[in-house]
Amino acid sequence: MRCPRGLTLLELLIAISLVAILAAAGAPLFRSALLEARMTAAVNGLVHTAHLARNAAQVDVRDVVVCRSIDALQCAPPGNWSSGWIAFVNRDHDDPPTVDDDERILQASGGQPLQTIRSNRRAYVLRPFPRRATNGTVVFCDARGAAEARAVIISYSGRPRVARRSATGQPLSCPA
């Protein structure tokens, strides 16, 4: 007796249908996991930059600025931080901060794949211990809206912390 080789058309259609149903059911979970990974990477990137800037300010005994940047070379005017940010040693204490030829850029972050990253400060100045630094909040929003928004709150001492509510305890808001 001969063994049949391959699949019948009916078996193939059933298998393709099952794969399509499983793929359709898993797509929203995959999208959510992708958005969460992007959010976590962006938030961790800013926290790392704040820690780096705070440490550099203490080691170099100079002000270090973290600001929004479009080109990874200079601070940009206030706006959406999703284009990226830079941290640099601000030797001449200029305000608004600008990167001069003798000032080194410690870190440059490229664009972030989030809808908006907004800050209530134009720049954050992290000063050597024990002087106070610029405090503020940076809110990260993606397609999931305010329910999944995160904030990096930078304290007066320059320490960043991640929160799901504002520094005053209010829910975070995202632009529509």
Side-chain angles (χ1 to χ4, degrees):
M1 174 180 258
R2 289 178 35 130
C3 292
R5 295 182 183 235
L7 300 172
T8 67
L9 180 60
L10 180 61
E11 291 170 333
L12 184 62
L13 288 175
I14 290 172
I16 290 173
S17 298
L18 286 174
V19 168
I21 290 169
L22 291 174
L29 295 175
F30 178 74
R31 180 178 181 270
S32 179
L34 179 65
L35 289 172
E36 184 63 27
R38 287 179 177 170
M39 174 74 74
T40 301
V43 168
N44 287 345
L46 184 62
V47 168
H48 173 73
T49 301
H51 281 296
L52 174 80
R54 183 171 183 257
N55 186 51
Q58 292 171 353
V59 169
D60 293 348
V61 192
R62 297 201 182 273
D63 289 358
V64 176
V65 172
V66 176
C67 63
R68 173 182 175 259
S69 180
I70 297 171
D71 59 4
L73 298 172
Q74 279 294 340
C75 291
N80 188 354
W81 284 50
S82 63
S83 59
W85 52 81
I86 60 173
F88 69 96
V89 177
N90 191 9
R91 294 172 154 282
D92 58 357
H93 307 283
D94 48 1
D95 188 25
T98 56
V99 180
D100 300 319
D101 291 337
D102 65 335
E103 296 173 342
R104 62 188 168 108
I105 295 177
L106 301 171
Q107 185 178 35
S109 170
Q112 302 296 323
L114 298 178
Q115 284 186 335
T116 61
I117 302 172
R118 59 185 170 75
S119 175
N120 62 350
R121 300 282 182 264
R122 178 180 181 164
Y124 295 88
V125 181
L126 298 129
R127 297 190 170 98
F129 182 78
R131 295 173 60 194
R132 291 171 56 143
T134 306
N135 72 324
T137 304
V138 182
V139 178
F140 294 75
C141 296
D142 63 13
R144 298 173 295 174
E148 296 298 324
R150 304 263 179 20
V152 173
I153 301 169
I154 300 175
S155 70
Y156 279 117
S157 66
R159 287 192 174 120
R161 68 179 171 90
V162 179
R164 291 193 178 256
R165 298 180 83 68
S166 72
T168 60
Q170 300 299 316
L172 298 173
S173 63
C174 293

